[in-house]
Amino acid sequence: MTVKEVQQKLDQIAKQVADGALFESLPDQLDDLIINLPRHRRTKVTVPSEKQDDEVFNILAPLVDDLNNSKLKKINQKQLKAIEQSLKSVDAQIRDQCGLTIINGLLANRVMTGEQELELLAYCLRDDVMFAHVMEPKNSAAFGRSYAMMTLSGLLYADRVGGSYIDDGLLNTIVSRVLIYTLLEHDTRGIVNQAGWVHAFAAIAAVMNQLGASTRVVRSTKLLLMAVLLERYATLGTPMITDEQESITTFLVGLVNMHQLYHRYLGIQLAHWHDQLKHANEDDMYSEAYWTRVFNFRRLTQALVLRESLPDDLAKEILNQD
C-alpha cells in the first residue's frame, strides 16, 4: 500500500464519517487500515553533514542574537532555507536552539511575510519531509518529520490568531496529510542520546490541537482526527513514556468539552480499547507488544483523569474499568 492508497482509504472513511454512516465501528475500520499499512526495509537516511550544520549555524546564530535583542525585523531567502535545513539536523543545538527557536520567534513577532510563511508551510508538507523513511524501522529522518510537525503547529496557530493566509483548500490538504502521517508514524522515541528530542506523537498532538481549535475545520473532520490519533496510539507496539500523554490529552479534552459528539466517541473508544485488552488471547498476554499496549493505555487514561476539565462521567467510566 502506497501513501496515495492510504490517502484513498482515508478519504473513503472520511466521507462515511461526514455522512453519518460511520461512528461506533470507526475504530475497527481504522484498525483494519493500520494492520495493512506497509513497512519497508531500512534504507540510507541522508542528514546534514557536520560541515552543512556549521554553515547553517553561521547563518542562523546572528538571527538568534537579533531575536534576543528584539532587532530582527525581516529574513531573506538564504536564511529561510537555512531554517528549513536546520529542522532535519541530528544536532540538537542546530535543530532546537537555532531552527525551532528562530521559527517560534519569527511567528510570535510576525517577522516573516505571508509568502515566507507559506513557503515554510510547503516545506513541512513535502513528501520527502513529512513521510521521509516513515515506513522503515526507526531512523534519523524522524527528527525532520517531527520538527516539521512542530513547525506546522506554530504556523497553524499564527494563522488562526491573525494570519489568514491559509485558504480552505490548503487547510484541507494539511488535514489530509496530518491524518496520513499519524497513521504511518510509529517512532515513539522521546529523547535520543546526544541528538535530542524526537517526540513525534507530542508534535502530532500539538498540530491536532490547533486544528481542533479552528472554527474552519468541520465537526466530522475533528472527529476523524481524534479517532485516528486514538487508534494509532492504541496499536503502537513500543512504549510512550516521555510525557506525550500531556499533549495528547490537551487535544482530546479540548474536543470533549467542545461538543457532545466527541465526548461520546471518546467514551466509546476507551471502552472498545479496554475490552480488546481484557479479552486478548492467551498467547498475546505473554508478548511484549501486548503489555506495551496495556501500559500505554494506562498512561493515557491516568493522564486523562488527572485533567480537571475532563467531564466527571468520563472520569468515572475510566476509574471503574477493571
Side-chain angles (χ1 to χ4, degrees):
M1 189 184 296
T2 64
V3 169
K4 186 175 181 180
E5 289 170 334
V6 174
Q7 181 175 349
Q8 289 170 344
K9 292 283 187 182
L10 264 177
D11 288 344
Q12 292 170 5
I13 291 172
K15 186 177 187 309
Q16 289 179 286
V17 172
D19 292 342
L22 192 59
F23 187 74
E24 292 191 12
S25 61
L26 181 53
D28 292 325
Q29 292 279 335
L30 292 172
D31 193 43
D32 288 343
L33 178 55
I34 291 169
I35 288 170
N36 291 298
L37 287 175
R39 287 289 170 237
H40 298 164
R41 294 179 180 177
R42 187 185 304 277
T43 60
K44 183 180 179 180
V45 177
T46 301
V47 297
S49 66
E50 190 171 319
K51 180 182 178 182
Q52 289 172 320
D53 276 344
D54 287 343
E55 291 171 352
V56 165
F57 180 80
N58 290 335
I59 294 170
L60 298 186
L63 298 187
V64 176
D65 290 339
D66 285 346
L67 267 177
N68 291 337
N69 293 300
S70 302
K71 293 180 179 178
L72 188 58
K73 304 302 179 184
K74 63 180 180 178
I75 60 169
N76 59 38
Q77 191 67 12
K78 183 179 179 180
Q79 291 165 335
L80 181 58
K81 290 299 181 185
I83 290 168
E84 292 174 358
Q85 184 167 317
S86 74
L87 296 176
K88 56 185 178 182
S89 174
V90 295
D91 184 324
Q93 182 181 21
I94 301 295
R95 209 173 53 251
D96 273 307
Q97 297 175 29
C98 287
L100 203 58
T101 295
I102 290 171
I103 289 169
N104 290 337
L106 293 174
L107 292 173
N109 295 293
R110 305 317 302 256
V111 172
M112 287 188 285
T113 65
E115 290 78 11
Q116 287 176 325
E117 292 188 4
L118 283 172
E119 183 174 336
L120 184 57
L121 177 56
Y123 168 83
C124 295
L125 297 178
R126 276 169 31 185
D127 280 5
D128 63 339
V129 175
M130 184 174 274
F131 306 136
H133 301 270
V134 72
M135 301 178 198
E136 300 172 19
K138 62 184 180 181
N139 56 72
S140 295
F143 294 108
R145 298 194 302 264
S146 178
Y147 276 68
M149 291 295 283
M150 294 181 198
T151 300
L152 180 56
S153 172
L155 288 163
L156 286 168
Y157 175 78
D159 180 75
R160 184 166 61 84
V161 299
S164 300
Y165 56 86
I166 299 176
D167 62 28
D168 289 345
L170 181 53
L171 186 61
N172 289 337
T173 297
I174 293 169
V175 169
S176 176
R177 294 180 76 78
V178 168
L179 287 168
I180 295 167
Y181 170 63
T182 304
L183 286 174
L184 293 176
E185 185 60 86
H186 58 97
D187 194 327
T188 60
R189 290 177 295 171
I191 195 79
V192 177
N193 283 337
Q194 309 305 318
W197 289 96
V198 176
H199 240 196
F201 283 89
I204 288 169
V207 170
M208 290 196 175
N209 194 41
Q210 293 305 321
L211 294 171
S214 173
T215 57
R216 296 164 57 203
V217 178
V218 298
R219 194 172 295 157
S220 63
T221 299
K222 293 178 182 180
L223 176 64
L224 188 57
L225 287 164
M226 171 188 269
V228 165
L229 180 57
L230 283 169
E231 198 60 30
R232 190 68 194 99
Y233 183 100
T235 54
L236 288 167
T238 49
M240 191 90 77
I241 57 173
T242 49
D243 210 27
E244 293 86 354
Q245 292 80 10
E246 181 71 18
S247 298
I248 293 171
T249 55
T250 296
F251 165 62
L252 295 176
V253 175
L255 282 189
V256 161
N257 287 317
M258 196 177 292
H259 194 275
Q260 184 64 26
L261 176 75
Y262 314 121
H263 182 294
R264 185 179 167 217
Y265 185 81
L266 181 59
I268 289 171
Q269 172 66 346
L270 291 176
H272 171 83
W273 190 359
H274 178 261
D275 191 60
Q276 279 186 323
L277 294 172
K278 186 176 180 180
H279 296 100
N281 63 54
E282 190 171 342
D283 288 341
D284 285 342
M285 291 184 180
Y286 286 95
S287 72
E288 181 180 349
Y290 170 77
W291 286 104
T292 295
R293 291 183 180 114
V294 168
F295 286 106
N296 279 346
F297 174 77
R298 288 183 183 176
R299 280 186 283 269
L300 183 64
T301 53
Q302 287 167 359
L304 280 168
V305 296
L306 287 173
R307 291 269 177 177
E308 290 186 6
S309 53
L310 183 73
D312 289 344
D313 61 323
L314 279 176
K316 287 176 183 176
E317 285 179 27
I318 292 170
L319 292 171
N320 288 335
Q321 290 173 344
D322 52 17

